[in-house]
Amino acid sequence: MSFQNPVFIPGPTNMPEAIRQACYMPTIDHRSPTFGKILHPCLDGIRQVLKSADAKIFIFPSTGTGGWETALSNTLSKGDKVLAARNGMFSHRWIDMCQRHGLDVQIVETPWGEGIPTGRYAEILKADTNHDIKAVLATHNETATGVKSDIAAVRKALDAAGHPAMLYVDGVSSIASMDFRFDEWGVDIAITGSQKGFMLPAGLAIIGFSSKAIAATAHSDLPTTFFDIGDMQKGYDANAFPYTPPVGLMNGLKLSLDMLLDEGLETVFARHHRIAEGVRAAVSAWGLKLCAASPDLYSDTVSAICTPEGFNATDIVTLAAEKYDVAFGVGLGDVAGKVFRIGHLGSLTDVMMLSGLATAEMCMVDLGLDVKLGSGVAAAQDYYRNNPAVAQ
Ligand SMILES: *Cc1c(COP(=O)(O)O)cnc(C)c1O
């Protein structure tokens, strides 16, 4: 392992050197105005990334999974009904967490490769005239299948039914890489983590709450201790956490937010889209198909690529690691062995991406797949030449 090559897994993502340096800092008093100078810019920056005027932002020493738990345990009660679609490994794991918390999940089973069936959500919400459903869960970007769902359409389904349920969105692999509109989409809780679009190590759960979600904490009966947002807010008011904050990671987050906002969110999203389009051009030149069922579902942060029947897609990932020291993502759950994943989010350029595509090609040829060396790379090169990052 030389650590020289970028990774092409859908998180943790590559870290810019400056962010690494920012994480590596001397000890400070974590209950002090000095800590406040790290904390408050982080909260403000995240609010901007979420495109929200006044969401309450919370940062926990955890990961995206802890963000899910923060959402559920602060706002819901045992036996509460929630609506969720299962269309991949991440939506599945969030549903599993709901069940372990004693919630009553109405699961809409959805083929892996499809997005949230918003038409089905609309019917279910309309039929729920008692308003038993307290929260609607939505995985914005299903990282297992490379499928992006339409959150505005989920909001529309709620509004069309005149339904008061709250909308909780897992944006772990979309926020800070793909457009996310907390206020416009009427999101009540948004969840993300540090190790994907924010280009940091794992270790932070990042969550936004609407005023409605904050109000719901008053009558939730699920126990909260570590993830209690009331305790956390009290901490913030005194430039502290209720316990010891991960100061270095948060210092890194402050820089990450500066970098994202300096580049400009729309530019960041356009960069991810361009890089992803190059990957998709390569996949099509290889004669392979994405797991995502149609172009409107294509994710700009991760592509899950189907390999031919009878071929174990995981072999590509294993060979890339062993022979070329390059990391791709394996298929998870129902699509294990059927897809391999190329992560294309975070700190990445066209040139880095071309090296990943070239490596994937070498592996596929090594393993006897009917792919021509250079075919995918050439297709991506063509796309990048004609759609340059820097205006000419
Ligand atoms: C990575 C990911 C998670 C889980 O996050 P952890 O940080 O591993 O706990 C949840 N949801 C989605 C969509 C993800 O991509």
Side-chain angles (χ1 to χ4, degrees), residues 63-65 68 90 139 141 143 170 172-173 195-196:
T63 68
T65 304
W68 288 340
F90 292 92
T139 300
N141 189 71
T143 317
D170 173 345
V172 180
S173 63
Q195 79 275 24
K196 297 188 184 171

PDB file of all heavy atoms in Angstrom, residues 63-65 68 90 139 141 143 170 172-173 195-196, ligand 1:
ATOM      1  N   THR A  63     -21.250   8.899  13.129  1.00  0.00           N
ATOM      2  CA  THR A  63     -21.238   8.811  11.663  1.00  0.00           C
ATOM      3  C   THR A  63     -22.675   9.004  11.186  1.00  0.00           C
ATOM      4  O   THR A  63     -23.573   9.266  11.996  1.00  0.00           O
ATOM      5  CB  THR A  63     -20.717   7.440  11.183  1.00  0.00           C
ATOM      6  OG1 THR A  63     -21.669   6.435  11.540  1.00  0.00           O
ATOM      7  CG2 THR A  63     -19.356   7.112  11.775  1.00  0.00           C
ATOM      8  N   GLY A  64     -22.899   8.829   9.906  1.00  0.00           N
ATOM      9  CA  GLY A  64     -24.247   8.989   9.358  1.00  0.00           C
ATOM     10  C   GLY A  64     -25.270   8.154  10.113  1.00  0.00           C
ATOM     11  O   GLY A  64     -26.404   8.604  10.348  1.00  0.00           O
ATOM     12  N   THR A  65     -24.884   6.961  10.501  1.00  0.00           N
ATOM     13  CA  THR A  65     -25.799   6.070  11.233  1.00  0.00           C
ATOM     14  C   THR A  65     -26.269   6.727  12.539  1.00  0.00           C
ATOM     15  O   THR A  65     -27.448   6.636  12.896  1.00  0.00           O
ATOM     16  CB  THR A  65     -25.088   4.727  11.516  1.00  0.00           C
ATOM     17  OG1 THR A  65     -24.642   4.200  10.263  1.00  0.00           O
ATOM     18  CG2 THR A  65     -26.007   3.725  12.185  1.00  0.00           C
ATOM     19  N   TRP A  68     -29.013   9.121  11.716  1.00  0.00           N
ATOM     20  CA  TRP A  68     -30.342   8.475  11.638  1.00  0.00           C
ATOM     21  C   TRP A  68     -30.940   8.377  13.031  1.00  0.00           C
ATOM     22  O   TRP A  68     -32.111   8.665  13.249  1.00  0.00           O
ATOM     23  CB  TRP A  68     -30.212   7.036  11.109  1.00  0.00           C
ATOM     24  CG  TRP A  68     -29.891   6.832   9.679  1.00  0.00           C
ATOM     25  CD1 TRP A  68     -30.039   7.704   8.642  1.00  0.00           C
ATOM     26  CD2 TRP A  68     -29.381   5.605   9.104  1.00  0.00           C
ATOM     27  NE1 TRP A  68     -29.648   7.105   7.466  1.00  0.00           N
ATOM     28  CE2 TRP A  68     -29.247   5.825   7.721  1.00  0.00           C
ATOM     29  CE3 TRP A  68     -29.030   4.361   9.624  1.00  0.00           C
ATOM     30  CZ2 TRP A  68     -28.779   4.840   6.847  1.00  0.00           C
ATOM     31  CZ3 TRP A  68     -28.564   3.377   8.758  1.00  0.00           C
ATOM     32  CH2 TRP A  68     -28.434   3.617   7.385  1.00  0.00           C
ATOM     33  N   PHE A  90     -28.780   1.018   2.191  1.00  0.00           N
ATOM     34  CA  PHE A  90     -28.814   2.093   3.188  1.00  0.00           C
ATOM     35  C   PHE A  90     -30.238   2.353   3.658  1.00  0.00           C
ATOM     36  O   PHE A  90     -30.483   2.494   4.862  1.00  0.00           O
ATOM     37  CB  PHE A  90     -28.084   3.330   2.659  1.00  0.00           C
ATOM     38  CG  PHE A  90     -26.610   3.061   2.543  1.00  0.00           C
ATOM     39  CD1 PHE A  90     -26.057   2.583   1.363  1.00  0.00           C
ATOM     40  CD2 PHE A  90     -25.785   3.173   3.651  1.00  0.00           C
ATOM     41  CE1 PHE A  90     -24.705   2.259   1.272  1.00  0.00           C
ATOM     42  CE2 PHE A  90     -24.430   2.850   3.577  1.00  0.00           C
ATOM     43  CZ  PHE A  90     -23.892   2.395   2.382  1.00  0.00           C
ATOM     44  N   THR A 139     -34.355   8.275   1.366  1.00  0.00           N
ATOM     45  CA  THR A 139     -32.911   8.210   1.132  1.00  0.00           C
ATOM     46  C   THR A 139     -32.658   8.935  -0.188  1.00  0.00           C
ATOM     47  O   THR A 139     -33.052   8.449  -1.248  1.00  0.00           O
ATOM     48  CB  THR A 139     -32.434   6.742   1.084  1.00  0.00           C
ATOM     49  OG1 THR A 139     -32.753   6.132   2.343  1.00  0.00           O
ATOM     50  CG2 THR A 139     -30.944   6.648   0.833  1.00  0.00           C
ATOM     51  N   ASN A 141     -29.946   9.681  -1.873  1.00  0.00           N
ATOM     52  CA  ASN A 141     -29.036   9.033  -2.826  1.00  0.00           C
ATOM     53  C   ASN A 141     -28.698   7.652  -2.255  1.00  0.00           C
ATOM     54  O   ASN A 141     -27.995   7.559  -1.256  1.00  0.00           O
ATOM     55  CB  ASN A 141     -27.772   9.882  -2.960  1.00  0.00           C
ATOM     56  CG  ASN A 141     -26.857   9.416  -4.075  1.00  0.00           C
ATOM     57  OD1 ASN A 141     -27.171   9.580  -5.252  1.00  0.00           O
ATOM     58  ND2 ASN A 141     -25.730   8.822  -3.723  1.00  0.00           N
ATOM     59  N   THR A 143     -26.681   4.825  -1.949  1.00  0.00           N
ATOM     60  CA  THR A 143     -25.272   4.628  -2.288  1.00  0.00           C
ATOM     61  C   THR A 143     -24.988   3.197  -2.764  1.00  0.00           C
ATOM     62  O   THR A 143     -23.997   2.951  -3.444  1.00  0.00           O
ATOM     63  CB  THR A 143     -24.414   4.970  -1.048  1.00  0.00           C
ATOM     64  OG1 THR A 143     -24.932   6.170  -0.470  1.00  0.00           O
ATOM     65  CG2 THR A 143     -22.965   5.202  -1.406  1.00  0.00           C
ATOM     66  N   ASP A 170     -32.200  11.181   4.380  1.00  0.00           N
ATOM     67  CA  ASP A 170     -30.813  10.734   4.453  1.00  0.00           C
ATOM     68  C   ASP A 170     -30.086  11.329   3.255  1.00  0.00           C
ATOM     69  O   ASP A 170     -30.336  10.935   2.107  1.00  0.00           O
ATOM     70  CB  ASP A 170     -30.769   9.202   4.421  1.00  0.00           C
ATOM     71  CG  ASP A 170     -29.347   8.651   4.313  1.00  0.00           C
ATOM     72  OD1 ASP A 170     -28.416   9.412   3.976  1.00  0.00           O
ATOM     73  OD2 ASP A 170     -29.168   7.441   4.547  1.00  0.00           O
ATOM     74  N   VAL A 172     -26.639  11.449   3.249  1.00  0.00           N
ATOM     75  CA  VAL A 172     -25.246  11.171   3.619  1.00  0.00           C
ATOM     76  C   VAL A 172     -24.332  11.195   2.383  1.00  0.00           C
ATOM     77  O   VAL A 172     -23.231  11.738   2.441  1.00  0.00           O
ATOM     78  CB  VAL A 172     -25.106   9.837   4.390  1.00  0.00           C
ATOM     79  CG1 VAL A 172     -23.639   9.588   4.747  1.00  0.00           C
ATOM     80  CG2 VAL A 172     -25.942   9.836   5.664  1.00  0.00           C
ATOM     81  N   SER A 173     -24.806  10.640   1.264  1.00  0.00           N
ATOM     82  CA  SER A 173     -23.936  10.614   0.087  1.00  0.00           C
ATOM     83  C   SER A 173     -24.368  11.616  -0.981  1.00  0.00           C
ATOM     84  O   SER A 173     -23.954  11.524  -2.133  1.00  0.00           O
ATOM     85  CB  SER A 173     -23.869   9.199  -0.500  1.00  0.00           C
ATOM     86  OG  SER A 173     -25.152   8.796  -0.937  1.00  0.00           O
ATOM     87  N   GLN A 195     -17.562  12.058   6.102  1.00  0.00           N
ATOM     88  CA  GLN A 195     -16.573  11.365   5.255  1.00  0.00           C
ATOM     89  C   GLN A 195     -16.956  11.214   3.789  1.00  0.00           C
ATOM     90  O   GLN A 195     -16.332  10.471   3.070  1.00  0.00           O
ATOM     91  CB  GLN A 195     -16.256   9.995   5.846  1.00  0.00           C
ATOM     92  CG  GLN A 195     -17.266   8.884   5.580  1.00  0.00           C
ATOM     93  CD  GLN A 195     -18.415   8.846   6.566  1.00  0.00           C
ATOM     94  OE1 GLN A 195     -18.726   9.852   7.171  1.00  0.00           O
ATOM     95  NE2 GLN A 195     -19.055   7.700   6.716  1.00  0.00           N
ATOM     96  N   LYS A 196     -17.970  11.932   3.340  1.00  0.00           N
ATOM     97  CA  LYS A 196     -18.337  11.815   1.925  1.00  0.00           C
ATOM     98  C   LYS A 196     -18.136  13.169   1.251  1.00  0.00           C
ATOM     99  O   LYS A 196     -17.007  13.557   1.022  1.00  0.00           O
ATOM    100  CB  LYS A 196     -19.724  11.211   1.806  1.00  0.00           C
ATOM    101  CG  LYS A 196     -19.679   9.785   2.400  1.00  0.00           C
ATOM    102  CD  LYS A 196     -20.885   8.939   2.222  1.00  0.00           C
ATOM    103  CE  LYS A 196     -20.669   7.621   2.971  1.00  0.00           C
ATOM    104  NZ  LYS A 196     -21.862   6.800   3.040  1.00  0.00           N
TER     105      LYS A 196
HETATM  106  C1  LIG B   1     -22.532   6.128   4.034  1.00  0.00           C
HETATM  107  C2  LIG B   1     -23.999   6.191   4.155  1.00  0.00           C
HETATM  108  C3  LIG B   1     -24.669   6.013   5.370  1.00  0.00           C
HETATM  109  C4  LIG B   1     -24.002   5.526   6.614  1.00  0.00           C
HETATM  110  O1  LIG B   1     -23.119   6.360   7.095  1.00  0.00           O
HETATM  111  P1  LIG B   1     -21.995   5.901   8.144  1.00  0.00           P
HETATM  112  O2  LIG B   1     -21.246   7.154   8.194  1.00  0.00           O
HETATM  113  O3  LIG B   1     -21.251   4.754   7.548  1.00  0.00           O
HETATM  114  O4  LIG B   1     -22.685   5.549   9.405  1.00  0.00           O
HETATM  115  C5  LIG B   1     -26.025   6.201   5.404  1.00  0.00           C
HETATM  116  N1  LIG B   1     -26.722   6.505   4.310  1.00  0.00           N
HETATM  117  C6  LIG B   1     -26.142   6.635   3.121  1.00  0.00           C
HETATM  118  C7  LIG B   1     -26.982   6.978   1.943  1.00  0.00           C
HETATM  119  C8  LIG B   1     -24.763   6.494   2.999  1.00  0.00           C
HETATM  120  O5  LIG B   1     -24.184   6.627   1.808  1.00  0.00           O
END
